[in-house]
Amino acid sequence: MALPLTTTAPTPRPPRVYTAGFWLMCLSSLLFFMSFNMLLPELPDYLTSLGGGEYKGYIIALFTLTAGLSRPFSGKLADTVGRIPVMVFGSLVCFICGFFYPFTVTVVGFLGLRLLHGFSTGFKPTGTAAYIADIVPLARRGEAMGLLGVAGSLGMAAGPTLGSWLAAHFTLNVLFYCSSGLALLSLIVQGTMTETLAVAQRQRFSWKLLKIESWQEVFEPRVLVPAAATLLFLLPFGAIFTVVPDQSRVLGLTGESKGLFYLCYTAASLVVRLLAGRASDRYGRVPVLIGSSFVIITSLLMLALAPSVTGFLAGAVLFGLGTGLNSPTIYAWTVDLSHPERRGRAVSTMYMALEAGIGIGALLAGWIFSNEPAHLPFVHLASAGSVLCGLVFLLATRRRVPAILEEAA
């Protein structure tokens, strides 16, 4: 007697955690961060050549001021118009501003362009973080933010190094046009991606959407704790990147070697993001932030006491390790605590705190430094004090705010 034929249904493949959209987003972020970071090593000297050496602290401060002021609008638009339009606008601003730097021949014109350039980071990263949160599950969110951070860090590393090389071998105008071109490439990549905002939430853009009618359209109350921690932890970033070009020159790092700090910092950040990207997924957001705080404080003390190039670059490596753990954890924690329908606003709340921290750090560094090399250690000590305050804040609030929440309903 013939046995009945039986068939076994094929086991369905589990959905991919990292889709083509995720990797395209990483590519777009790499190009975007490379675009404006490649200018950083050369802008202080360029401003000095225009007669504005005393305004070096404004190079980053004005940039972050506009970025911070634009966050409420970018967050609201990301939750209404869409993630991709918000990113496209940010990259478009970066493209236009990079193109116009060669035409700024006065201090006022330069500072005004820096103010406009800040709109780019006020929009692009907000849309990016919301987009990633839409397509990556909670259990892998810390890892995903780490991988996205790797792309951004590669841009931050390659940008200053490439910028210094272009300025040394060609002209500043070539540097500015290359910066603009990279922003254009980022814009083109975004045109290949699919919108992730739910259709039911999407609206056509209108000027009415730019009207802020209540504080709830500006801030997401659920994420105020990670936002406050972000401000304190990111203050050193603005301070360091304001004085690093001068500290590099004092230690004899000039020409192509002017970008070595950025290279060491970013290489260390890349390594820790790749190897420890899932640390906060496994152990919790707050414990990882506490550990990274100790690393950052140690790095700042090393920079304050750095008597040689070796100590200076070692401080850069430690700073990269600390921020490589800190940044993706902060981003993931912010998204964890946010409501899915208000992710754009939650991310913009965190980024407003980030821009405030960077801007305050840049202004504080410019004021303390005052073009006096002997004042450089005090800049780093003040930055270490800010991180110490952040650490105390985390220890005081850790019992009241969970490290990870289940996906909000």
Side-chain angles (χ1 to χ4, degrees):
M1 184 175 66
L3 294 174
L5 294 176
T6 59
T7 59
T8 303
T11 303
R13 288 185 178 183
R16 289 186 299 167
V17 174
Y18 300 121
T19 62
F22 175 84
W23 296 115
L24 286 171
M25 182 59 69
C26 289
L27 174 60
S28 173
S29 292
L30 185 152
L31 295 168
F32 176 78
F33 279 98
M34 188 184 298
S35 171
F36 69 87
N37 276 283
M38 70 190 301
L39 304 177
L40 289 181
E42 306 303 324
L43 289 182
D45 287 345
Y46 182 62
L47 180 58
T48 300
S49 72
L50 296 177
E54 66 270 29
Y55 300 110
K56 288 178 182 178
Y58 288 88
I59 291 174
I60 293 177
L62 289 175
F63 187 90
T64 56
L65 173 64
T66 315
L69 291 175
S70 63
R71 296 291 183 191
F73 306 101
S74 64
K76 183 178 179 181
L77 292 174
D79 287 336
T80 52
V81 177
R83 320 304 197 194
I84 292 178
V86 165
M87 291 186 284
V88 165
F89 179 79
S91 296
L92 185 62
V93 169
C94 206
F95 163 66
I96 294 172
C97 288
F99 186 83
F100 276 97
Y101 273 105
F103 301 99
T104 57
V105 294
T106 65
V107 173
V108 173
F110 174 87
L111 296 178
L113 191 58
R114 287 300 290 171
L115 196 64
L116 291 175
H117 204 163
F119 277 109
S120 61
T121 55
F123 277 78
K124 173 66 168 69
T126 300
T128 297
Y131 186 97
I132 294 298
D134 289 341
I135 63 175
V136 176
L138 171 65
R140 303 291 289 275
R141 192 169 285 154
E143 180 184 55
M145 292 299 181
L147 290 173
L148 180 66
V150 167
S153 295
L154 280 172
M156 292 174 68
T161 304
L162 176 61
S164 295
W165 182 83
L166 288 170
H169 290 84
F170 298 96
T171 65
L172 284 177
N173 286 354
V174 170
L175 167 62
F176 294 140
Y177 291 138
C178 286
S179 172
S180 180
L182 288 173
L184 179 61
L185 289 176
S186 177
L187 188 63
I188 292 171
V189 171
Q190 291 158 33
T192 67
M193 296 187 298
T194 303
E195 179 59 57
T196 58
L197 181 66
V199 175
Q201 284 184 245
R202 294 184 207 173
Q203 302 178 34
R204 293 178 63 89
F205 174 79
S206 70
W207 294 105
K208 291 181 180 179
L209 291 175
L210 299 180
K211 183 180 179 181
I212 304 296
E213 298 179 347
S214 68
W215 284 109
Q216 287 191 339
E217 292 186 309
V218 178
F219 298 109
E220 173 55 72
R222 293 188 182 199
V223 301
L224 290 181
V225 170
T230 298
L231 189 152
L232 294 168
F233 289 142
L234 268 294
L235 188 146
F237 193 90
I240 282 179
F241 283 87
T242 296
V243 301
V244 154
D246 289 284
Q247 191 167 1
S248 297
R249 185 168 57 251
V250 167
L251 293 172
L253 298 173
T254 58
E256 294 181 38
S257 62
K258 191 187 296 184
L260 275 179
F261 180 94
Y262 303 96
L263 183 62
C264 291
Y265 155 77
T266 313
S269 178
L270 286 174
V271 170
V272 76
R273 288 171 196 262
L274 285 171
L275 298 181
R278 298 197 67 185
S280 70
D281 292 332
R282 294 174 181 173
Y283 307 114
R285 314 303 189 201
V286 174
V288 171
L289 290 174
I290 291 172
S292 67
S293 300
F294 286 105
V295 178
I296 294 174
I297 290 172
T298 302
S299 72
L300 292 167
L301 294 177
M302 288 185 66
L303 291 174
L305 303 173
S308 64
V309 171
T310 301
F312 179 62
L313 297 182
V317 169
L318 270 185
F319 189 66
L321 293 175
T323 56
L325 281 171
N326 182 285
S327 295
T329 303
I330 283 279
Y331 296 163
W333 193 24
T334 298
V335 176
D336 292 341
L337 297 175
S338 66
H339 192 284
E341 293 183 2
R342 295 178 60 85
R343 270 187 188 142
R345 269 161 278 203
V347 170
S348 73
T349 299
M350 183 272 294
Y351 271 121
M352 278 188 278
L354 178 148
E355 304 295 357
I358 293 176
I360 292 170
L363 288 173
L364 184 65
W367 176 69
I368 295 174
F369 176 46
S370 299
N371 282 325
E372 291 289 339
H375 296 172
L376 286 169
F378 301 111
V379 173
H380 301 309
L381 291 175
S383 298
S386 176
V387 179
L388 182 60
C389 289
L391 176 59
V392 171
F393 174 75
L394 279 180
L395 292 173
T397 59
R398 65 182 303 182
R399 295 184 183 277
R400 290 186 288 168
V401 181
I404 293 182
L405 287 182
E406 293 301 323
E407 199 72 65

